[in-house]
Amino acid sequence: MKTLLALALSLICGVSAASATQWPGGAKAAVVLTYDDALDSQLDHAVPVLDEAGFKGTFFLTGLKLAAIPRWRAVGAGGHELANHTLFHPCPASKFSTEPRYTSEAYTPAAMLREIEQQNVLLTALDGKPTHGFASPCGQTLAGGVDYIETLRAANLVTYARGVYTSPDDLRADVGRMDPMHIPSRGFDEAVTGAQLIAFAKEAQTGGGMAVYLFHGVGGDYLQVSDPAHRELVAWLAAHRDEVWVTTLQGALDWAKAHPDAKH
Ligand SMILES: [Zn+2]
């Protein structure tokens, strides 16, 4: 009976069980800007632009340089999210050359979790927060050929794991019901234009879910988006702040969990 009633209601509303999350202030979608690898170009070009717009980003830190510690501490104090990207960024040997013992083939799930735990300690020393989110190096979760994501979930070491964007369906998902250990994100080619970056936010705006951007270098370093393209995106988001809610990844997930879909 309950099921029939739910079905009837969903037909009346024309909204399926997978309907989108209700975002704050009537925003149609959430937009999350994430930046990987603790790059200086992010400190130089991304943080100031976000601060100027009053936006908070999510920074997945790894391989921190001693000289940059005061700057990252200030980024955390400024309300941006500092998150876990391991200490040594272990990736498959095929991705890029590194000391063999730091390739993901040389790890075990237990060693990977130990490393993630130590990066958490470092992050807490930086921002004072007890828990942190996580993004796996190179977007893959194998350690010695064994997927460690379920071990990581069971260990309760991280609040979420950022995964990979697969299709526009990801932009329509009910974020409150998403698996926190598989949060989709989308990377872009180096030649990406501001308009192409904006198009992703517009898709989210239509879909009603969440668009998670994945950046590396901003106007420098590697896998970079140009400074003008990044600025163009942030300017568009600033001009549309009533329609899209720009927040950290933890902020979006916390909101979605606390405000289950109310559209029925
Ligand atoms: Zn990385």
Side-chain angles (χ1 to χ4, degrees), residues 40-72:
D40 285 346
S41 67
Q42 297 163 0
L43 292 166
D44 294 340
H45 302 296
V47 174
V49 172
L50 295 179
D51 286 347
E52 205 177 308
F55 292 150
K56 307 302 176 199
T58 298
F59 295 84
F60 289 97
L61 304 187
T62 183
L64 281 162
K65 294 182 213 156
L66 190 57
I69 291 293
R71 296 182 79 188
W72 286 116

Side-chain angles (χ1 to χ4, degrees), residues 31-202:
V31 166
V32 175
L33 306 175
T34 73
Y35 303 84
D36 287 18
D37 298 359
L39 303 175
D40 285 346
S41 67
Q42 297 163 0
L43 292 166
D44 294 340
H45 302 296
V47 174
V49 172
L50 295 179
D51 286 347
E52 205 177 308
F55 292 150
K56 307 302 176 199
T58 298
F59 295 84
F60 289 97
L61 304 187
T62 183
L64 281 162
K65 294 182 213 156
L66 190 57
I69 291 293
R71 296 182 79 188
W72 286 116
R73 204 185 288 277
V75 170
H80 298 284
E81 178 185 6
L82 305 184
N84 195 320
H85 201 39
T86 74
L87 286 169
F88 301 119
H89 206 276
C91 279
S94 59
K95 289 270 183 181
F96 50 72
S97 62
T98 185
E99 163 67 30
R101 73 164 60 200
Y102 295 118
T103 60
S104 56
E105 287 90 343
Y107 276 63
T108 60
M112 190 68 79
L113 262 62
R114 198 167 166 203
E115 181 169 325
I116 292 166
E117 189 172 15
Q118 284 306 301
Q119 182 69 351
N120 271 345
V121 171
L122 185 51
L123 290 169
T124 298
L126 279 178
D127 68 9
K129 298 205 169 133
T131 57
H132 294 91
F134 173 71
S136 59
C138 296
Q140 67 91 41
T141 53
L142 293 179
V146 180
D147 195 324
Y148 62 82
I149 204 76
E150 291 309 318
T151 317
L152 183 60
R153 186 201 303 272
N156 213 18
L157 274 180
V158 295
T159 50
Y160 64 78
R162 195 198 58 193
V164 179
Y165 170 90
T166 50
S167 80
D169 287 345
D170 291 338
L171 299 171
R172 289 188 280 272
D174 182 336
V175 177
R177 291 194 184 99
M178 258 182 199
D179 180 350
M181 298 308 278
H182 294 278
I183 301 297
S185 69
R186 181 170 167 189
F188 296 85
D189 292 336
E190 283 212 316
V192 70
T193 64
Q196 287 166 333
L197 290 173
I198 291 164
F200 186 47
K202 284 184 178 169

